[in-house]
Amino acid sequence: MLYLISLLYFLCLSPSFAEHTRRWRQSTYEEFLKGTAHGVAVRSDGRLELAPKFTLLADADASYLWSVRLDAKGTLYAAGGSPAKVFRFDSNGKPSVVFDSTDLSAQSIAFDPKGALYVGTSPDGKVYRVSASGDKSVFFDPKTKYIWDLAFSPDGTLYVATGDKGQVFSVSPDGKGELFYSSDEAHIRVLAFDSTGNLIAGTEPSGRILRISHSASTKSAKNSKDSAAAKAEGFVLYETSKREVTSLAVSADGAIYASAIGEKQRAGQAPGAIITTPQGTTNIITGGVITPGQAQPQQTFIPFPPLLSSSIYRISADGAPEELWSSREDVVYALGLASDGRLLAGTGNSGALLAVDGHGVFAHLAKSGTAQITGIARNSSGKVFLCTANPGKVFSVGPEYEAVGTFESRSFDAQLFSHWGRIEWWSPPPYTTAKSSALSNEPRVEFFVRSGNTEDPGREWSRWYGPYTKSSAAIETPSARFVQWKAVIHDGRPGDGVDWVSLAYLPRNVAPAIDGIALQDPGVRAQSQAGISSGQPAPVTLKMPPSPNVSGVVVMQTGTPPRFEQPPQGTQQKGYQSVLWTAHDDNDDELRYAVYFRGENEHEWKLLKDNLDQKFYSWDTTTLPDGAYYLKIAATDAPSNPPALALKTERESERFEVDNTPPVVEDLKVGPASGKMSGGHPASFTARDASSSIERAQYSLDGGDWVLVTPTTGISDALVEHYDLGLPALPPGEHTIAVRAYDRFENVGSAKITFTVPAAKP
């Protein structure tokens, strides 16, 4: 019954809809990212697919968590602040505090081969050892500003990354620590071990990835920043284009992945707020220029840095580097590896989890609902754990896929009331497994569509219509201005997804609009620039009509290239009248124009020119009687619509005049010489025009130059003007005077007489 009502409603409206179907198509990462995903990953190559299961495990009592680790038994721990705390999570995800201190943050945690917990705190922190019973003791104090990361080697040695001297310390199981490596950098930010057991470090402010290995013999540290002898030597595997390395991960094939953020400072520029920790670090805010002898600005703490550029790099086992991913919108805080071999990246400040494959194709897996994903760890069964900041939470990811994933598109604004047609999509064949073969007859993807007349979908929109399970289906959604589709992917089968979605719609046809008409001055001819030759008069500036008053975005017809109209050019040409106009069509229909005219006291419009595709027209007015006239411009969208659906609009111009009749010069006469005029001759004439005022008058004596004459009223503004002038003293004999008068339309009337100056009497 609802379908019948909708069909009848459409049939009633159908005369108002034009026959030019549009399609709203979505197929790119940027377009899909504007929608809302639940259990659906958005891939950078423009595909929607099921995402690994994403579950909130716990909401810790902390503003932020910075490090997440698993002990040998698979128990989950997370560290953060403030103040510094370490949480242990039971099998149900319930947290309990196993370490706390007055330090600002528990920056890093690690487990020794025997399963004991070690905690590094910052700033001005220490390394603590936490026994199984919960007793804590200071294990190592590097006496540096920051402890950034902890890493245990297989032999039980603990390596401690510090700042702001850029040092790595090695600590034996009995707590005896010594300087292992001193770099030229301010901070050693993160640590990892490569496939051969070498220590890998990421630095700040040069954004370097170092391989630190034991030296063959203890070397002098005379070139080191520290007076102690370092036990290792470093080699720069790669210097990134960024300032700070924030995370490292090493894959099974020996490749090293690194994330880095921030732009490097220019020479002479003070360092900026770069170090990315929840509690803040050595961040100089001035951003000014350091001059010799100038004191360094005071260091300050900030919670999280402003949004910075970010990149992910891969260094292959043979040492070749490549950039896999970059962004100016997301900051990568943590890296990890999924069970399928893809690289995982936790970002801020939108709290998104990304997965990047070896070819640089990345997928937006989920949003945590927090500002930053700051730590990633994986257990032996392939389940991935995340910790977050602002607020501090813990999530699990995979390895199983979501049973059902949904994706809601953004709402689409057709700009006009529209009828919605077929929805089409492409879903590639899924991977075949025993389970998926048994479900092969069931729909893998279902689509639903709803519409409304408000920008934000809500209760006032229509219900969801569907499901539509075929890749091309007619929908019953009511006609409206806005529409939205929803895809539901079932059964948790990897590979199920959507590459593109297209929705056909037919906007209601609306009449074109003429926005303005500009009549040109008499004697100006408007032509297309292609029709103007080099020998024609110099161009004249045309009066332009108002620009189209278009509200919103014009609906573009699929496959129709944008039309560029070259503006006309004006030239002076007597007797011509020109008109320019502007118009638009909200359907973006192709328009044709007609120009009509009528006399001031007439009632019927007469066609002057039809079927124009340009928005100007010029014509020779000498074919019209003198008088006042009006123009009417008519616009029709008939070229883009069937005759029964075509619409047109009209607009009248202001009053204008046609005058091709020259003025009449009469009563031209020259009087005898007068002593009052120093021997010259008085002359006079009258200029008269039937319909327009006299603009100017001139005289020429005996073929000489034309001389401008002022009327007796002092101003030329009337239909009749009288002129009195004095000629200079003339020699005896015959003379000729010619006069001419111009009206407002540059029509010219003239007259001349011959007169004789008698010889002087003896």
mmCIF file of all heavy atoms in Angstrom, residues 336-380:
data_model
loop_
_atom_site.group_PDB
_atom_site.id
_atom_site.type_symbol
_atom_site.label_atom_id
_atom_site.label_comp_id
_atom_site.label_asym_id
_atom_site.label_seq_id
_atom_site.Cartn_x
_atom_site.Cartn_y
_atom_site.Cartn_z
ATOM 1 N N GLY A 336 52.185 -1.068 15.629
ATOM 2 C CA GLY A 336 52.138 -2.473 16.023
ATOM 3 C C GLY A 336 51.895 -3.312 14.795
ATOM 4 O O GLY A 336 51.657 -2.786 13.696
ATOM 5 N N LEU A 337 51.946 -4.631 14.963
ATOM 6 C CA LEU A 337 51.747 -5.536 13.840
ATOM 7 C C LEU A 337 50.559 -6.439 14.115
ATOM 8 O O LEU A 337 50.450 -7.029 15.193
ATOM 9 C CB LEU A 337 53.006 -6.366 13.590
ATOM 10 C CG LEU A 337 54.205 -5.574 13.056
ATOM 11 C CD1 LEU A 337 55.478 -6.379 13.198
ATOM 12 C CD2 LEU A 337 53.979 -5.171 11.606
ATOM 13 N N ALA A 338 49.660 -6.535 13.124
ATOM 14 C CA ALA A 338 48.505 -7.413 13.238
ATOM 15 C C ALA A 338 48.912 -8.835 12.869
ATOM 16 O O ALA A 338 49.969 -9.072 12.270
ATOM 17 C CB ALA A 338 47.386 -6.923 12.321
ATOM 18 N N SER A 339 48.053 -9.787 13.198
ATOM 19 C CA SER A 339 48.368 -11.192 12.916
ATOM 20 C C SER A 339 48.430 -11.482 11.422
ATOM 21 O O SER A 339 49.071 -12.441 11.000
ATOM 22 C CB SER A 339 47.327 -12.098 13.581
ATOM 23 O OG SER A 339 46.015 -11.745 13.144
ATOM 24 N N ASP A 340 47.758 -10.647 10.586
ATOM 25 C CA ASP A 340 47.810 -10.855 9.139
ATOM 26 C C ASP A 340 49.007 -10.169 8.499
ATOM 27 O O ASP A 340 49.137 -10.140 7.273
ATOM 28 C CB ASP A 340 46.517 -10.372 8.484
ATOM 29 C CG ASP A 340 46.250 -8.878 8.714
ATOM 30 O OD1 ASP A 340 47.105 -8.195 9.300
ATOM 31 O OD2 ASP A 340 45.170 -8.410 8.311
ATOM 32 N N GLY A 341 49.908 -9.599 9.316
ATOM 33 C CA GLY A 341 51.124 -8.975 8.806
ATOM 34 C C GLY A 341 50.996 -7.502 8.505
ATOM 35 O O GLY A 341 52.007 -6.849 8.231
ATOM 36 N N ARG A 342 49.788 -6.946 8.552
ATOM 37 C CA ARG A 342 49.635 -5.525 8.283
ATOM 38 C C ARG A 342 50.132 -4.695 9.463
ATOM 39 O O ARG A 342 50.047 -5.113 10.613
ATOM 40 C CB ARG A 342 48.176 -5.178 7.993
ATOM 41 C CG ARG A 342 47.674 -5.668 6.660
ATOM 42 C CD ARG A 342 46.308 -5.095 6.314
ATOM 43 N NE ARG A 342 45.278 -5.504 7.245
ATOM 44 C CZ ARG A 342 44.015 -5.072 7.194
ATOM 45 N NH1 ARG A 342 43.649 -4.210 6.250
ATOM 46 N NH2 ARG A 342 43.112 -5.489 8.070
ATOM 47 N N LEU A 343 50.648 -3.531 9.127
ATOM 48 C CA LEU A 343 51.110 -2.598 10.152
ATOM 49 C C LEU A 343 49.918 -1.841 10.710
ATOM 50 O O LEU A 343 49.082 -1.326 9.959
ATOM 51 C CB LEU A 343 52.109 -1.615 9.550
ATOM 52 C CG LEU A 343 52.703 -0.575 10.504
ATOM 53 C CD1 LEU A 343 53.646 -1.243 11.501
ATOM 54 C CD2 LEU A 343 53.432 0.517 9.723
ATOM 55 N N LEU A 344 49.838 -1.756 12.034
ATOM 56 C CA LEU A 344 48.789 -0.984 12.696
ATOM 57 C C LEU A 344 49.361 0.334 13.182
ATOM 58 O O LEU A 344 50.494 0.374 13.685
ATOM 59 C CB LEU A 344 48.196 -1.766 13.867
ATOM 60 C CG LEU A 344 47.549 -3.109 13.540
ATOM 61 C CD1 LEU A 344 47.084 -3.789 14.826
ATOM 62 C CD2 LEU A 344 46.376 -2.931 12.580
ATOM 63 N N ALA A 345 48.584 1.387 13.042
ATOM 64 C CA ALA A 345 49.020 2.715 13.475
ATOM 65 C C ALA A 345 47.918 3.359 14.294
ATOM 66 O O ALA A 345 46.780 3.499 13.829
ATOM 67 C CB ALA A 345 49.370 3.590 12.272
ATOM 68 N N GLY A 346 48.262 3.750 15.533
ATOM 69 C CA GLY A 346 47.331 4.483 16.382
ATOM 70 C C GLY A 346 47.569 5.967 16.226
ATOM 71 O O GLY A 346 48.711 6.432 16.326
ATOM 72 N N THR A 347 46.507 6.731 15.976
ATOM 73 C CA THR A 347 46.668 8.136 15.634
ATOM 74 C C THR A 347 45.896 9.050 16.571
ATOM 75 O O THR A 347 45.068 8.627 17.358
ATOM 76 C CB THR A 347 46.198 8.400 14.189
ATOM 77 O OG1 THR A 347 44.777 8.308 14.135
ATOM 78 C CG2 THR A 347 46.817 7.419 13.214
ATOM 79 N N GLY A 348 46.169 10.303 16.464
ATOM 80 C CA GLY A 348 45.450 11.397 17.096
ATOM 81 C C GLY A 348 45.426 12.550 16.103
ATOM 82 O O GLY A 348 46.183 12.547 15.132
ATOM 83 N N ASN A 349 44.562 13.530 16.220
ATOM 84 C CA ASN A 349 43.782 13.655 17.438
ATOM 85 C C ASN A 349 42.321 13.271 17.219
ATOM 86 O O ASN A 349 41.409 13.840 17.842
ATOM 87 C CB ASN A 349 43.884 15.087 17.962
ATOM 88 C CG ASN A 349 45.266 15.407 18.486
ATOM 89 O OD1 ASN A 349 45.901 14.581 19.103
ATOM 90 N ND2 ASN A 349 45.739 16.622 18.238
ATOM 91 N N SER A 350 42.094 12.288 16.337
ATOM 92 C CA SER A 350 40.750 11.764 16.134
ATOM 93 C C SER A 350 40.620 10.340 16.663
ATOM 94 O O SER A 350 39.564 9.730 16.518
ATOM 95 C CB SER A 350 40.385 11.797 14.648
ATOM 96 O OG SER A 350 41.285 10.999 13.896
ATOM 97 N N GLY A 351 41.685 9.801 17.268
ATOM 98 C CA GLY A 351 41.626 8.479 17.872
ATOM 99 C C GLY A 351 41.345 7.364 16.889
ATOM 100 O O GLY A 351 40.626 6.417 17.208
ATOM 101 N N ALA A 352 41.915 7.439 15.690
ATOM 102 C CA ALA A 352 41.646 6.447 14.653
ATOM 103 C C ALA A 352 42.734 5.380 14.627
ATOM 104 O O ALA A 352 43.911 5.656 14.884
ATOM 105 C CB ALA A 352 41.551 7.113 13.290
ATOM 106 N N LEU A 353 42.326 4.142 14.288
ATOM 107 C CA LEU A 353 43.257 3.030 14.098
ATOM 108 C C LEU A 353 43.360 2.749 12.616
ATOM 109 O O LEU A 353 42.359 2.496 11.940
ATOM 110 C CB LEU A 353 42.773 1.783 14.841
ATOM 111 C CG LEU A 353 43.671 0.536 14.699
ATOM 112 C CD1 LEU A 353 45.026 0.783 15.347
ATOM 113 C CD2 LEU A 353 42.989 -0.680 15.297
ATOM 114 N N LEU A 354 44.595 2.781 12.099
ATOM 115 C CA LEU A 354 44.854 2.519 10.688
ATOM 116 C C LEU A 354 45.598 1.202 10.545
ATOM 117 O O LEU A 354 46.369 0.809 11.426
ATOM 118 C CB LEU A 354 45.684 3.641 10.062
ATOM 119 C CG LEU A 354 45.160 5.073 10.174
ATOM 120 C CD1 LEU A 354 46.141 6.033 9.517
ATOM 121 C CD2 LEU A 354 43.785 5.196 9.548
ATOM 122 N N ALA A 355 45.373 0.531 9.406
ATOM 123 C CA ALA A 355 46.143 -0.653 9.036
ATOM 124 C C ALA A 355 46.785 -0.377 7.683
ATOM 125 O O ALA A 355 46.101 0.053 6.748
ATOM 126 C CB ALA A 355 45.254 -1.886 8.970
ATOM 127 N N VAL A 356 48.095 -0.593 7.567
ATOM 128 C CA VAL A 356 48.837 -0.289 6.346
ATOM 129 C C VAL A 356 49.477 -1.572 5.844
ATOM 130 O O VAL A 356 50.196 -2.250 6.592
ATOM 131 C CB VAL A 356 49.929 0.781 6.600
ATOM 132 C CG1 VAL A 356 50.579 1.199 5.290
ATOM 133 C CG2 VAL A 356 49.344 1.987 7.326
ATOM 134 N N ASP A 357 49.233 -1.910 4.562
ATOM 135 C CA ASP A 357 49.875 -3.114 4.037
ATOM 136 C C ASP A 357 51.224 -2.750 3.427
ATOM 137 O O ASP A 357 51.643 -1.586 3.416
ATOM 138 C CB ASP A 357 48.970 -3.833 3.035
ATOM 139 C CG ASP A 357 48.755 -3.041 1.744
ATOM 140 O OD1 ASP A 357 49.505 -2.088 1.475
ATOM 141 O OD2 ASP A 357 47.814 -3.396 0.999
ATOM 142 N N GLY A 358 51.912 -3.746 2.903
ATOM 143 C CA GLY A 358 53.265 -3.527 2.385
ATOM 144 C C GLY A 358 53.324 -2.682 1.141
ATOM 145 O O GLY A 358 54.403 -2.264 0.726
ATOM 146 N N HIS A 359 52.170 -2.418 0.525
ATOM 147 C CA HIS A 359 52.131 -1.611 -0.688
ATOM 148 C C HIS A 359 51.682 -0.180 -0.409
ATOM 149 O O HIS A 359 51.475 0.591 -1.345
ATOM 150 C CB HIS A 359 51.194 -2.254 -1.718
ATOM 151 C CG HIS A 359 51.538 -3.674 -2.045
ATOM 152 N ND1 HIS A 359 52.652 -4.023 -2.786
ATOM 153 C CD2 HIS A 359 50.932 -4.841 -1.708
ATOM 154 C CE1 HIS A 359 52.703 -5.343 -2.908
ATOM 155 N NE2 HIS A 359 51.678 -5.860 -2.261
ATOM 156 N N GLY A 360 51.503 0.147 0.837
ATOM 157 C CA GLY A 360 51.094 1.500 1.193
ATOM 158 C C GLY A 360 49.605 1.725 1.168
ATOM 159 O O GLY A 360 49.142 2.843 1.416
ATOM 160 N N VAL A 361 48.816 0.683 0.877
ATOM 161 C CA VAL A 361 47.363 0.813 0.947
ATOM 162 C C VAL A 361 46.961 0.742 2.417
ATOM 163 O O VAL A 361 47.323 -0.203 3.116
ATOM 164 C CB VAL A 361 46.655 -0.297 0.149
ATOM 165 C CG1 VAL A 361 45.144 -0.196 0.322
ATOM 166 C CG2 VAL A 361 47.033 -0.196 -1.326
ATOM 167 N N PHE A 362 46.224 1.734 2.875
ATOM 168 C CA PHE A 362 45.868 1.754 4.289
ATOM 169 C C PHE A 362 44.350 1.730 4.443
ATOM 170 O O PHE A 362 43.603 2.095 3.534
ATOM 171 C CB PHE A 362 46.468 2.971 5.000
ATOM 172 C CG PHE A 362 45.997 4.303 4.492
ATOM 173 C CD1 PHE A 362 44.904 4.936 5.056
ATOM 174 C CD2 PHE A 362 46.666 4.929 3.454
ATOM 175 C CE1 PHE A 362 44.476 6.164 4.596
ATOM 176 C CE2 PHE A 362 46.233 6.163 2.984
ATOM 177 C CZ PHE A 362 45.141 6.776 3.552
ATOM 178 N N ALA A 363 43.932 1.240 5.605
ATOM 179 C CA ALA A 363 42.511 1.141 5.901
ATOM 180 C C ALA A 363 42.231 1.826 7.224
ATOM 181 O O ALA A 363 42.991 1.672 8.186
ATOM 182 C CB ALA A 363 42.071 -0.323 5.959
ATOM 183 N N HIS A 364 41.168 2.589 7.258
ATOM 184 C CA HIS A 364 40.694 3.232 8.480
ATOM 185 C C HIS A 364 39.800 2.221 9.181
ATOM 186 O O HIS A 364 38.643 2.027 8.824
ATOM 187 C CB HIS A 364 39.914 4.500 8.094
ATOM 188 C CG HIS A 364 39.579 5.397 9.226
ATOM 189 N ND1 HIS A 364 38.596 5.106 10.140
ATOM 190 C CD2 HIS A 364 40.088 6.596 9.614
ATOM 191 C CE1 HIS A 364 38.505 6.083 11.018
ATOM 192 N NE2 HIS A 364 39.399 7.000 10.719
ATOM 193 N N LEU A 365 40.358 1.502 10.187
ATOM 194 C CA LEU A 365 39.648 0.377 10.787
ATOM 195 C C LEU A 365 38.538 0.805 11.735
ATOM 196 O O LEU A 365 37.444 0.245 11.717
ATOM 197 C CB LEU A 365 40.632 -0.530 11.539
ATOM 198 C CG LEU A 365 41.712 -1.218 10.706
ATOM 199 C CD1 LEU A 365 42.523 -2.149 11.587
ATOM 200 C CD2 LEU A 365 41.106 -1.990 9.542
ATOM 201 N N ALA A 366 38.824 1.758 12.593
ATOM 202 C CA ALA A 366 37.835 2.133 13.611
ATOM 203 C C ALA A 366 38.265 3.425 14.278
ATOM 204 O O ALA A 366 39.421 3.853 14.163
ATOM 205 C CB ALA A 366 37.688 1.030 14.658
ATOM 206 N N LYS A 367 37.323 4.033 15.002
ATOM 207 C CA LYS A 367 37.609 5.174 15.860
ATOM 208 C C LYS A 367 37.329 4.773 17.296
ATOM 209 O O LYS A 367 36.308 4.159 17.593
ATOM 210 C CB LYS A 367 36.765 6.385 15.476
ATOM 211 C CG LYS A 367 37.259 7.105 14.238
ATOM 212 C CD LYS A 367 36.544 8.429 14.052
ATOM 213 C CE LYS A 367 37.125 9.197 12.878
ATOM 214 N NZ LYS A 367 36.477 10.522 12.695
ATOM 215 N N SER A 368 38.263 5.142 18.177
ATOM 216 C CA SER A 368 38.168 4.714 19.569
ATOM 217 C C SER A 368 37.214 5.577 20.391
ATOM 218 O O SER A 368 36.848 5.205 21.498
ATOM 219 C CB SER A 368 39.557 4.751 20.215
ATOM 220 O OG SER A 368 40.054 6.082 20.228
ATOM 221 N N GLY A 369 36.833 6.734 19.871
ATOM 222 C CA GLY A 369 36.025 7.644 20.662
ATOM 223 C C GLY A 369 36.846 8.457 21.636
ATOM 224 O O GLY A 369 36.307 9.183 22.466
ATOM 225 N N THR A 370 38.164 8.320 21.563
ATOM 226 C CA THR A 370 39.081 9.112 22.386
ATOM 227 C C THR A 370 39.908 9.997 21.465
ATOM 228 O O THR A 370 39.816 9.901 20.239
ATOM 229 C CB THR A 370 40.014 8.195 23.195
ATOM 230 O OG1 THR A 370 40.816 7.436 22.281
ATOM 231 C CG2 THR A 370 39.210 7.236 24.066
ATOM 232 N N ALA A 371 40.736 10.843 22.067
ATOM 233 C CA ALA A 371 41.512 11.768 21.245
ATOM 234 C C ALA A 371 42.717 11.101 20.590
ATOM 235 O O ALA A 371 43.043 11.386 19.437
ATOM 236 C CB ALA A 371 41.973 12.957 22.090
ATOM 237 N N GLN A 372 43.408 10.186 21.321
ATOM 238 C CA GLN A 372 44.641 9.586 20.804
ATOM 239 C C GLN A 372 44.703 8.098 21.125
ATOM 240 O O GLN A 372 44.304 7.676 22.222
ATOM 241 C CB GLN A 372 45.892 10.265 21.404
ATOM 242 C CG GLN A 372 46.061 11.731 21.055
ATOM 243 C CD GLN A 372 45.409 12.652 22.063
ATOM 244 O OE1 GLN A 372 45.001 12.233 23.139
ATOM 245 N NE2 GLN A 372 45.298 13.925 21.707
ATOM 246 N N ILE A 373 45.181 7.313 20.160
ATOM 247 C CA ILE A 373 45.579 5.927 20.420
ATOM 248 C C ILE A 373 47.089 5.955 20.609
ATOM 249 O O ILE A 373 47.839 6.307 19.703
ATOM 250 C CB ILE A 373 45.184 4.996 19.268
ATOM 251 C CG1 ILE A 373 43.659 4.927 19.153
ATOM 252 C CG2 ILE A 373 45.762 3.598 19.479
ATOM 253 C CD1 ILE A 373 43.164 4.097 17.978
ATOM 254 N N THR A 374 47.545 5.578 21.808
ATOM 255 C CA THR A 374 48.938 5.837 22.187
ATOM 256 C C THR A 374 49.801 4.587 22.355
ATOM 257 O O THR A 374 51.021 4.701 22.474
ATOM 258 C CB THR A 374 48.962 6.624 23.506
ATOM 259 O OG1 THR A 374 48.147 5.937 24.469
ATOM 260 C CG2 THR A 374 48.412 8.031 23.304
ATOM 261 N N GLY A 375 49.195 3.399 22.394
ATOM 262 C CA GLY A 375 49.989 2.187 22.580
ATOM 263 C C GLY A 375 49.326 0.995 21.920
ATOM 264 O O GLY A 375 48.088 0.899 21.864
ATOM 265 N N ILE A 376 50.133 0.053 21.402
ATOM 266 C CA ILE A 376 49.630 -1.139 20.720
ATOM 267 C C ILE A 376 50.452 -2.344 21.169
ATOM 268 O O ILE A 376 51.686 -2.275 21.231
ATOM 269 C CB ILE A 376 49.721 -0.990 19.187
ATOM 270 C CG1 ILE A 376 48.899 0.214 18.703
ATOM 271 C CG2 ILE A 376 49.244 -2.262 18.485
ATOM 272 C CD1 ILE A 376 49.036 0.491 17.214
ATOM 273 N N ALA A 377 49.767 -3.450 21.487
ATOM 274 C CA ALA A 377 50.441 -4.711 21.841
ATOM 275 C C ALA A 377 49.607 -5.861 21.286
ATOM 276 O O ALA A 377 48.401 -5.723 21.076
ATOM 277 C CB ALA A 377 50.600 -4.842 23.353
ATOM 278 N N ARG A 378 50.241 -7.037 21.062
ATOM 279 C CA ARG A 378 49.536 -8.199 20.513
ATOM 280 C C ARG A 378 49.902 -9.438 21.306
ATOM 281 O O ARG A 378 51.071 -9.632 21.667
ATOM 282 C CB ARG A 378 49.912 -8.389 19.049
ATOM 283 C CG ARG A 378 49.037 -9.398 18.307
ATOM 284 C CD ARG A 378 49.545 -9.623 16.902
ATOM 285 N NE ARG A 378 50.670 -10.533 16.882
ATOM 286 C CZ ARG A 378 51.539 -10.647 15.890
ATOM 287 N NH1 ARG A 378 51.430 -9.868 14.829
ATOM 288 N NH2 ARG A 378 52.534 -11.510 15.937
ATOM 289 N N ASN A 379 48.875 -10.306 21.551
ATOM 290 C CA ASN A 379 49.168 -11.541 22.274
ATOM 291 C C ASN A 379 49.433 -12.687 21.306
ATOM 292 O O ASN A 379 49.382 -12.515 20.077
ATOM 293 C CB ASN A 379 48.040 -11.876 23.262
ATOM 294 C CG ASN A 379 46.730 -12.235 22.570
ATOM 295 O OD1 ASN A 379 46.680 -12.460 21.351
ATOM 296 N ND2 ASN A 379 45.650 -12.295 23.343
ATOM 297 N N SER A 380 49.695 -13.862 21.852
ATOM 298 C CA SER A 380 50.093 -15.006 21.031
ATOM 299 C C SER A 380 48.965 -15.514 20.138
ATOM 300 O O SER A 380 49.217 -16.169 19.124
ATOM 301 C CB SER A 380 50.585 -16.143 21.936
ATOM 302 O OG SER A 380 49.567 -16.513 22.870
#
